[in-house]
Every structure is written in C-alpha cells, then in structure tokens.
Amino acid sequence: MRVGELSRRSGVPIPTIKFYLREGLLPPGVATAANQADYDEEHVRRLRLIRALIDVGGVSVAGARDVVAALGTYAADPHELLGSAQSAVQPRHRPDRDTSEWRKARERVIALIEERGWLIYPGSPAIDMVADALAAGDSLGVAELFDKLSDYADAADQLAAVEVGTVLARPDPAARMELVVLGTVLGEALFSALRMLAHQHESARQLRGPTV
C-alpha cells in the first residue's frame, strides 16, 4: 500500500508517519520510485503500537523509539524487553536522591523486597522510584498513606502474576514480545485510571455521598 492508504488504515496523518520514519520509529517501506514506497500490514500494526505507546501510555517519542528498538534486540528474551518497556514509562525528572530521608526510604524498599522474596535485579530503577514516592510522602507529612506498604505490594503481586502469565501463554514469540510492551505501558495507564474510579467509589461510599 502507498503512504496514503497506510495513513487511512492506521488513522495516523501522513506528516506524522513521515516524522516517525525520520525518527526511526517506523521501518522504511520498499522504495518503488524516487519519492515513493510501498508499505504492508506490519507497518499498520507498528503505527498502531506507536500511537498506543504515545497517546495512551504517555511515552515520549524517544521512549517509544527505545521500546521499538528493543522489540528487535530482545526478540528472544521477554524479561530483557520488560526492562526496556518499564524504562519507557519512568518519569524523566527525578527528585533529589542524595538525602538521608531518601536513603532511609530506599532501605525500606529493599527490606520489602527481601521480606517477600522477590527476585529483583539490585540495580532496578523501580527500586528508586518506590523510594522516591515514600520519601516524598514523608517530606510532605503524609507518610501514613504508605503505612500499609505491604497492601500495595500484595495488589502488585497479584496483578503481575496475571499479566506475566498472560504473556507467557502466547505461543508466538513476536506476539509475546508485543504483549510485554503493551501490557507494561497500557497496563500502567489502565490501572491508574481504574484506581481513580475506585477512589471515587470509596470516597462516595465512605463519606455516604451520592454515587456518580
């Protein structure tokens, strides 16, 4: 198909497609003339993946490019690809991590990991991200919000078991890789939105206000 058909099928405007081609997010089509190329169903699928990462998952263009590149690099290793997908959804701005409060929060995270017997790479950025949240809560005087950290971990454990099991149930390696990415990025957006709905429900229920 030509770029116009690719745009119609994917729902992505032609200028955006050309931008993705320049940025290396989308592989080039098969050249048919000096300024023309043909594209196939893989291009349609890749465009939909890119849009899901950026529009729904909130991933930056640079982050999406890293994930797309990792899809090929880690084609045989879902565990490695998971690391790249998680990296793409990390905040780009980080708080000050050179304080005694932050180090204390990180020690709490390490203790939680050891207590639960989680198999975690010692240099995982997620460890620091949890510490960021704990340290921020403490500095703002809302540490009680995370007093039941084990409850958060329970919920995360249960959800992770379902998501990883779903990925491994896919027999096709390529489809499995794609699900790792989408499950990580879109799952983050999905759980965040569901949590907001649950907060609305619990607020209405516990305060005996009207449900909307």
Coordinates of all heavy atoms in Angstrom, one line a residue, residues 94-167:
R94 N 13.7 13.5 38.1 CA 13.9 12.8 39.3 C 14.1 13.7 40.5 O 14.8 14.7 40.3 CB 15.0 11.8 39.2 CG 14.8 10.7 38.1 CD 16.0 9.9 37.8 NE 15.7 8.9 36.8 CZ 16.7 8.2 36.2 NH1 17.9 8.4 36.5 NH2 16.4 7.3 35.3
P95 N 13.6 13.4 41.6 CA 13.9 14.2 42.8 C 15.3 14.0 43.3 O 16.0 13.2 42.9 CB 12.8 13.7 43.8 CG 12.7 12.2 43.4 CD 12.8 12.2 41.9
D96 N 15.6 14.8 44.3 CA 17.0 14.7 45.0 C 17.1 13.4 45.7 O 16.3 13.1 46.6 CB 17.1 15.9 45.9 CG 18.5 15.9 46.6 OD1 19.4 15.1 46.1 OD2 18.8 16.7 47.5
R97 N 18.0 12.6 45.3 CA 18.2 11.3 45.9 C 19.4 11.3 46.8 O 19.9 10.2 47.2 CB 18.3 10.2 44.8 CG 17.0 10.0 44.1 CD 17.1 9.0 43.0 NE 15.8 8.7 42.4 CZ 15.6 8.0 41.3 NH1 16.7 7.6 40.6 NH2 14.4 7.7 40.8
D98 N 20.0 12.4 47.1 CA 21.2 12.5 47.9 C 20.8 13.0 49.3 O 21.4 14.0 49.8 CB 22.2 13.4 47.3 CG 23.6 13.3 48.0 OD1 23.8 12.2 48.6 OD2 24.4 14.2 47.9
T99 N 19.8 12.4 50.0 CA 19.4 12.8 51.3 C 19.3 11.6 52.2 O 19.1 10.5 51.7 CB 18.1 13.6 51.3 OG1 17.1 12.7 50.9 CG2 18.1 14.8 50.3
S100 N 19.4 11.8 53.5 CA 19.3 10.7 54.4 C 17.9 10.1 54.4 O 17.7 8.9 54.6 CB 19.7 11.2 55.8 OG 18.8 12.2 56.3
E101 N 16.9 11.0 54.2 CA 15.5 10.6 54.1 C 15.2 9.7 52.9 O 14.6 8.6 53.1 CB 14.5 11.8 54.0 CG 14.5 12.7 55.3 CD 15.7 13.6 55.4 OE1 16.5 13.7 54.4 OE2 15.8 14.2 56.5
W102 N 15.8 10.0 51.8 CA 15.7 9.2 50.6 C 16.4 7.8 50.8 O 15.8 6.8 50.5 CB 16.2 9.9 49.4 CG 15.9 9.1 48.1 CD1 14.7 9.2 47.4 CD2 16.7 8.1 47.5 NE1 14.8 8.3 46.3 CE2 16.0 7.6 46.4 CE3 17.9 7.6 47.8 CZ2 16.5 6.6 45.5 CZ3 18.5 6.6 46.9 CH2 17.7 6.1 45.8
R103 N 17.5 7.9 51.4 CA 18.3 6.6 51.6 C 17.5 5.7 52.6 O 17.5 4.5 52.4 CB 19.7 6.9 52.1 CG 20.6 7.5 51.0 CD 22.0 7.5 51.5 NE 22.2 8.5 52.5 CZ 22.5 9.8 52.2 NH1 22.7 10.2 51.0 NH2 22.7 10.7 53.2
K104 N 16.9 6.3 53.6 CA 16.1 5.6 54.5 C 14.9 4.9 53.8 O 14.5 3.8 54.1 CB 15.6 6.5 55.6 CG 14.8 5.8 56.7 CD 14.3 6.7 57.8 CE 13.5 6.0 58.9 NZ 13.0 7.0 59.9
A105 N 14.3 5.7 52.9 CA 13.1 5.2 52.1 C 13.6 4.0 51.3 O 12.9 3.0 51.1 CB 12.5 6.3 51.3
R106 N 14.7 4.1 50.7 CA 15.2 3.0 49.8 C 15.5 1.8 50.6 O 15.3 0.7 50.1 CB 16.5 3.5 49.1 CG 16.9 2.5 47.9 CD 18.1 3.0 47.1 NE 18.2 2.3 45.9 CZ 18.7 1.1 45.7 NH1 19.2 0.4 46.8 NH2 18.8 0.6 44.5
E107 N 16.0 1.9 51.8 CA 16.3 0.8 52.7 C 15.0 0.1 53.0 O 14.9 -1.2 53.1 CB 16.9 1.2 54.0 CG 18.4 1.7 53.8 CD 19.0 2.3 55.1 OE1 18.2 2.4 56.1 OE2 20.1 2.7 55.0
R108 N 13.9 0.9 53.1 CA 12.6 0.3 53.4 C 12.1 -0.6 52.2 O 11.5 -1.6 52.3 CB 11.6 1.4 53.7 CG 10.2 0.9 54.1 CD 9.3 2.0 54.3 NE 7.9 1.5 54.6 CZ 6.8 2.3 54.7 NH1 7.0 3.6 54.5 NH2 5.6 1.8 54.9
V109 N 12.4 -0.1 51.0 CA 12.0 -0.8 49.8 C 12.8 -2.1 49.7 O 12.3 -3.2 49.4 CB 12.3 0.0 48.5 CG1 11.9 -0.7 47.3 CG2 11.5 1.4 48.6
I110 N 14.1 -2.0 50.0 CA 15.0 -3.2 49.9 C 14.5 -4.3 50.9 O 14.4 -5.5 50.7 CB 16.4 -2.9 50.2 CG1 17.0 -2.0 49.1 CG2 17.3 -4.1 50.4 CD1 17.0 -2.6 47.8
A111 N 14.1 -3.8 52.1 CA 13.6 -4.7 53.2 C 12.3 -5.4 52.7 O 12.1 -6.6 52.9 CB 13.3 -3.9 54.5
L112 N 11.4 -4.6 52.0 CA 10.2 -5.2 51.5 C 10.5 -6.3 50.5 O 9.9 -7.3 50.5 CB 9.3 -4.1 50.8 CG 8.1 -4.5 50.1 CD1 7.0 -4.9 51.1 CD2 7.5 -3.4 49.2
I113 N 11.4 -6.0 49.6 CA 11.8 -7.0 48.5 C 12.3 -8.3 49.2 O 11.9 -9.4 48.8 CB 12.8 -6.4 47.6 CG1 12.2 -5.3 46.8 CG2 13.4 -7.5 46.7 CD1 13.2 -4.5 46.0
E114 N 13.2 -8.1 50.2 CA 13.7 -9.3 50.9 C 12.7 -10.0 51.6 O 12.6 -11.3 51.6 CB 14.9 -8.8 51.8 CG 16.1 -8.3 51.1 CD 17.1 -7.7 52.0 OE1 16.8 -7.6 53.2 OE2 18.2 -7.5 51.5
E115 N 11.8 -9.3 52.3 CA 10.7 -9.9 53.0 C 9.8 -10.8 52.2 O 9.4 -11.9 52.6 CB 9.9 -8.8 53.8 CG 8.7 -9.3 54.5 CD 7.9 -8.2 55.1 OE1 8.5 -7.2 55.6 OE2 6.6 -8.2 55.0
R116 N 9.5 -10.3 51.0 CA 8.6 -11.0 50.1 C 9.3 -12.0 49.2 O 8.7 -12.8 48.5 CB 7.9 -10.0 49.2 CG 7.1 -8.9 50.0 CD 6.3 -8.0 49.1 NE 5.1 -8.7 48.5 CZ 3.9 -8.8 49.1 NH1 3.8 -8.2 50.3 NH2 2.9 -9.4 48.6
G117 N 10.6 -12.0 49.2 CA 11.4 -13.0 48.4 C 11.3 -12.7 46.9 O 11.4 -13.6 46.1
W118 N 11.1 -11.4 46.6 CA 11.0 -11.0 45.2 C 12.4 -11.2 44.5 O 13.4 -10.8 45.1 CB 10.6 -9.6 45.1 CG 9.1 -9.4 45.2 CD1 8.1 -10.4 45.2 CD2 8.3 -8.2 45.2 NE1 6.9 -9.9 45.3 CE2 7.0 -8.5 45.3 CE3 8.7 -6.9 45.2 CZ2 6.0 -7.6 45.4 CZ3 7.7 -5.9 45.3 CH2 6.4 -6.2 45.3
L119 N 12.4 -11.7 43.3 CA 13.6 -11.8 42.5 C 13.8 -10.5 41.7 O 13.3 -10.4 40.6 CB 13.5 -13.0 41.6 CG 13.2 -14.4 42.3 CD1 13.0 -15.5 41.2 CD2 14.3 -14.7 43.3
I120 N 14.6 -9.6 42.3 CA 14.7 -8.3 41.7 C 16.2 -8.0 41.4 O 17.1 -8.2 42.3 CB 14.2 -7.2 42.6 CG1 12.7 -7.5 43.0 CG2 14.3 -5.8 42.0 CD1 11.7 -7.4 41.8
Y121 N 16.5 -7.5 40.2 CA 17.9 -7.0 39.9 C 18.2 -5.9 40.9 O 17.5 -4.9 41.0 CB 17.9 -6.6 38.5 CG 19.2 -5.9 38.1 CD1 20.4 -6.5 38.2 CD2 19.1 -4.6 37.6 CE1 21.6 -5.8 37.8 CE2 20.3 -3.9 37.2 CZ 21.5 -4.5 37.3 OH 22.7 -3.9 37.0
P122 N 19.4 -5.9 41.6 CA 19.7 -4.9 42.5 C 19.7 -3.5 42.0 O 19.5 -2.5 42.7 CB 21.1 -5.3 43.0 CG 21.2 -6.8 42.8 CD 20.4 -7.0 41.5
G123 N 20.0 -3.3 40.7 CA 20.1 -2.0 40.1 C 18.8 -1.6 39.4 O 18.8 -0.6 38.6
S124 N 17.7 -2.3 39.7 CA 16.4 -1.9 39.0 C 16.0 -0.5 39.4 O 15.9 -0.1 40.5 CB 15.3 -2.9 39.5 OG 14.1 -2.5 39.1
P125 N 15.7 0.3 38.3 CA 15.3 1.7 38.6 C 14.0 1.7 39.4 O 13.7 2.7 40.0 CB 15.1 2.2 37.1 CG 15.9 1.4 36.3 CD 15.9 0.0 36.9
A126 N 13.2 0.7 39.3 CA 11.9 0.7 40.0 C 12.1 0.8 41.5 O 11.2 1.3 42.3 CB 11.1 -0.6 39.7
I127 N 13.2 0.3 42.0 CA 13.5 0.4 43.5 C 13.6 1.8 43.9 O 13.0 2.3 44.9 CB 14.8 -0.3 43.8 CG1 14.7 -1.8 43.5 CG2 15.2 -0.1 45.3 CD1 16.0 -2.6 43.7
D128 N 14.3 2.6 43.1 CA 14.5 4.0 43.4 C 13.2 4.8 43.2 O 12.9 5.7 43.9 CB 15.5 4.6 42.4 CG 16.9 4.1 42.7 OD1 17.1 3.5 43.8 OD2 17.8 4.3 41.9
M129 N 12.3 4.4 42.2 CA 11.1 5.0 42.0 C 10.1 4.8 43.2 O 9.4 5.8 43.6 CB 10.4 4.5 40.7 CG 11.1 4.9 39.5 SD 10.5 4.0 38.0 CE 8.8 4.7 37.9
V130 N 10.1 3.6 43.8 CA 9.3 3.4 45.0 C 9.9 4.3 46.1 O 9.1 4.9 46.9 CB 9.3 1.9 45.4 CG1 8.5 1.7 46.7 CG2 8.7 1.1 44.3
A131 N 11.2 4.3 46.3 CA 11.8 5.2 47.3 C 11.5 6.6 47.1 O 11.2 7.4 48.1 CB 13.3 5.0 47.3
D132 N 11.4 7.1 45.8 CA 11.0 8.5 45.6 C 9.6 8.8 46.2 O 9.4 9.8 46.8 CB 10.9 8.7 44.0 CG 12.3 8.7 43.4 OD1 13.3 8.8 44.1 OD2 12.3 8.5 42.1
A133 N 8.7 7.9 45.9 CA 7.3 8.1 46.4 C 7.3 8.1 47.9 O 6.6 8.9 48.6 CB 6.4 7.0 45.9
L134 N 8.0 7.2 48.6 CA 8.0 7.1 50.0 C 8.6 8.3 50.6 O 8.1 8.9 51.6 CB 8.7 5.8 50.5 CG 8.1 4.5 50.1 CD1 9.0 3.3 50.6 CD2 6.7 4.3 50.7
A135 N 9.7 8.7 50.1 CA 10.4 9.9 50.6 C 9.6 11.2 50.4 O 9.6 12.0 51.3 CB 11.8 10.1 49.9
A136 N 8.9 11.3 49.3 CA 8.1 12.5 49.1 C 6.9 12.5 50.0 O 6.6 13.5 50.6 CB 7.6 12.5 47.6
G137 N 6.3 11.3 50.3 CA 5.2 11.3 51.2 C 5.6 11.6 52.6 O 4.9 12.4 53.3
D138 N 6.8 11.2 53.0 CA 7.3 11.5 54.3 C 7.6 13.0 54.5 O 7.3 13.6 55.5 CB 8.6 10.7 54.6 CG 9.1 10.9 56.0 OD1 8.3 10.5 56.9 OD2 10.3 11.3 56.2
S139 N 8.2 13.6 53.4 CA 8.6 15.0 53.5 C 7.4 15.9 53.5 O 7.4 17.0 54.0 CB 9.5 15.4 52.3 OG 8.7 15.3 51.1
L140 N 6.2 15.4 53.0 CA 5.0 16.2 52.9 C 4.1 15.9 54.1 O 3.0 16.5 54.1 CB 4.3 15.9 51.6 CG 5.0 16.5 50.3 CD1 4.3 15.9 49.1 CD2 4.9 18.0 50.3
G141 N 4.5 15.1 55.0 CA 3.8 14.8 56.2 C 2.6 13.9 55.9 O 1.6 14.0 56.7
V142 N 2.6 13.1 54.9 CA 1.5 12.1 54.6 C 2.1 10.7 54.6 O 1.6 9.9 53.8 CB 0.8 12.5 53.3 CG1 0.1 13.8 53.4 CG2 1.8 12.5 52.1
A143 N 3.0 10.4 55.5 CA 3.7 9.1 55.5 C 2.7 8.0 55.8 O 2.9 6.9 55.4 CB 4.8 9.1 56.5
E144 N 1.6 8.4 56.5 CA 0.6 7.3 56.8 C -0.1 6.7 55.6 O -0.6 5.6 55.6 CB -0.5 7.9 57.8 CG -1.4 8.9 57.2 CD -0.9 10.3 57.3 OE1 0.3 10.5 57.5 OE2 -1.8 11.2 57.3
L145 N 0.0 7.5 54.5 CA -0.6 6.9 53.2 C 0.1 5.6 52.8 O -0.5 4.8 52.2 CB -0.4 8.0 52.1 CG -1.0 7.7 50.8 CD1 -2.5 7.6 50.9 CD2 -0.7 8.8 49.8
F146 N 1.4 5.5 53.2 CA 2.1 4.3 52.8 C 2.5 3.4 54.0 O 3.4 2.6 53.9 CB 3.4 4.7 52.1 CG 3.2 5.6 50.9 CD1 3.7 6.9 50.8 CD2 2.4 5.2 49.9 CE1 3.5 7.7 49.8 CE2 2.1 6.0 48.8 CZ 2.7 7.3 48.7
D147 N 1.8 3.6 55.1 CA 2.0 2.7 56.3 C 1.7 1.3 55.9 O 2.4 0.4 56.5 CB 1.1 3.2 57.4 CG 1.7 4.4 58.2 OD1 2.8 4.7 57.9 OD2 0.9 5.0 59.0
K148 N 0.7 1.0 55.1 CA 0.4 -0.3 54.7 C 1.0 -0.6 53.3 O 0.3 -1.0 52.3 CB -1.1 -0.4 54.6 CG -1.8 -0.2 55.9 CD -3.3 -0.5 55.9 CE -4.0 -0.3 57.2 NZ -3.5 -1.1 58.3
L149 N 2.3 -0.5 53.2 CA 3.0 -0.7 52.0 C 2.9 -2.2 51.5 O 2.8 -2.4 50.3 CB 4.5 -0.4 52.2 CG 5.4 -0.5 51.0 CD1 5.0 0.5 49.9 CD2 6.9 -0.2 51.4
S150 N 2.7 -3.1 52.5 CA 2.6 -4.5 52.1 C 1.3 -4.7 51.3 O 1.2 -5.6 50.5 CB 2.6 -5.4 53.3 OG 1.6 -5.0 54.2
D151 N 0.2 -3.9 51.6 CA -1.0 -4.0 50.9 C -0.8 -3.6 49.4 O -1.4 -4.2 48.5 CB -2.1 -3.1 51.5 CG -2.5 -3.7 52.9 OD1 -2.3 -4.9 53.1 OD2 -3.1 -2.9 53.6
Y152 N -0.1 -2.5 49.2 CA 0.3 -2.2 47.8 C 1.0 -3.3 47.1 O 0.8 -3.6 46.0 CB 1.2 -0.9 47.8 CG 0.4 0.4 48.1 CD1 0.2 0.9 49.3 CD2 0.0 1.2 47.0 CE1 -0.5 2.1 49.6 CE2 -0.7 2.4 47.2 CZ -0.9 2.8 48.5 OH -1.5 4.0 48.7
A153 N 2.0 -3.9 47.9 CA 2.8 -5.0 47.3 C 1.9 -6.2 47.0 O 2.1 -6.9 45.9 CB 3.9 -5.3 48.2
D154 N 0.9 -6.5 47.8 CA 0.0 -7.6 47.6 C -0.8 -7.4 46.3 O -0.9 -8.3 45.4 CB -1.0 -7.7 48.7 CG -0.4 -8.3 50.0 OD1 0.7 -8.9 49.9 OD2 -1.0 -8.1 51.1
A155 N -1.3 -6.2 46.1 CA -2.0 -5.9 44.9 C -1.1 -6.0 43.6 O -1.5 -6.5 42.6 CB -2.6 -4.5 45.0
A156 N 0.1 -5.5 43.8 CA 1.0 -5.5 42.6 C 1.4 -7.0 42.3 O 1.5 -7.3 41.1 CB 2.3 -4.7 43.0
D157 N 1.6 -7.8 43.3 CA 2.0 -9.2 43.2 C 0.9 -9.9 42.4 O 1.1 -10.7 41.4 CB 2.1 -9.8 44.5 CG 3.5 -10.5 44.7 OD1 4.1 -10.8 43.6 OD2 3.9 -10.9 45.8
Q158 N -0.4 -9.7 42.8 CA -1.5 -10.4 42.2 C -1.6 -10.0 40.7 O -1.8 -10.8 39.8 CB -2.8 -10.1 43.0 CG -4.0 -10.8 42.4 CD -5.2 -10.5 43.3 OE1 -5.2 -9.7 44.2 NE2 -6.4 -11.1 42.9
L159 N -1.5 -8.7 40.5 CA -1.7 -8.2 39.1 C -0.5 -8.7 38.2 O -0.7 -9.1 37.0 CB -1.7 -6.7 39.1 CG -2.0 -6.0 37.8 CD1 -3.3 -6.4 37.2 CD2 -2.0 -4.5 38.0
A160 N 0.7 -8.7 38.7 CA 1.9 -9.1 38.0 C 1.7 -10.6 37.6 O 2.1 -10.9 36.4 CB 3.1 -8.8 38.7
A161 N 1.2 -11.4 38.5 CA 1.1 -12.8 38.2 C 0.1 -13.0 37.0 O 0.4 -13.9 36.1 CB 0.6 -13.6 39.4
V162 N -0.9 -12.3 37.0 CA -1.9 -12.4 35.9 C -1.3 -11.9 34.6 O -1.4 -12.6 33.5 CB -3.2 -11.5 36.2 CG1 -4.1 -11.5 35.0 CG2 -3.9 -12.1 37.4
E163 N -0.6 -10.7 34.6 CA -0.1 -10.1 33.4 C 1.1 -11.0 32.8 O 1.1 -11.2 31.6 CB 0.4 -8.7 33.7 CG -0.7 -7.8 34.0 CD -0.2 -6.4 34.3 OE1 0.9 -6.3 34.8 OE2 -1.0 -5.4 34.2
V164 N 2.0 -11.4 33.6 CA 3.1 -12.3 33.1 C 2.6 -13.6 32.6 O 3.0 -14.1 31.5 CB 4.2 -12.4 34.2 CG1 5.2 -13.4 33.7 CG2 4.8 -11.1 34.5
G165 N 1.6 -14.2 33.3 CA 1.0 -15.4 32.9 C 0.4 -15.3 31.5 O 0.4 -16.2 30.7
T166 N -0.3 -14.2 31.3 CA -1.0 -13.9 30.0 C 0.0 -13.8 28.9 O -0.2 -14.3 27.8 CB -1.8 -12.6 30.1 OG1 -2.8 -12.7 31.1 CG2 -2.5 -12.3 28.8
V167 N 1.2 -13.1 29.2 CA 2.2 -13.0 28.1 C 2.8 -14.4 27.8 O 2.9 -14.7 26.6 CB 3.4 -12.1 28.7 CG1 4.6 -12.2 27.8 CG2 2.9 -10.7 28.7

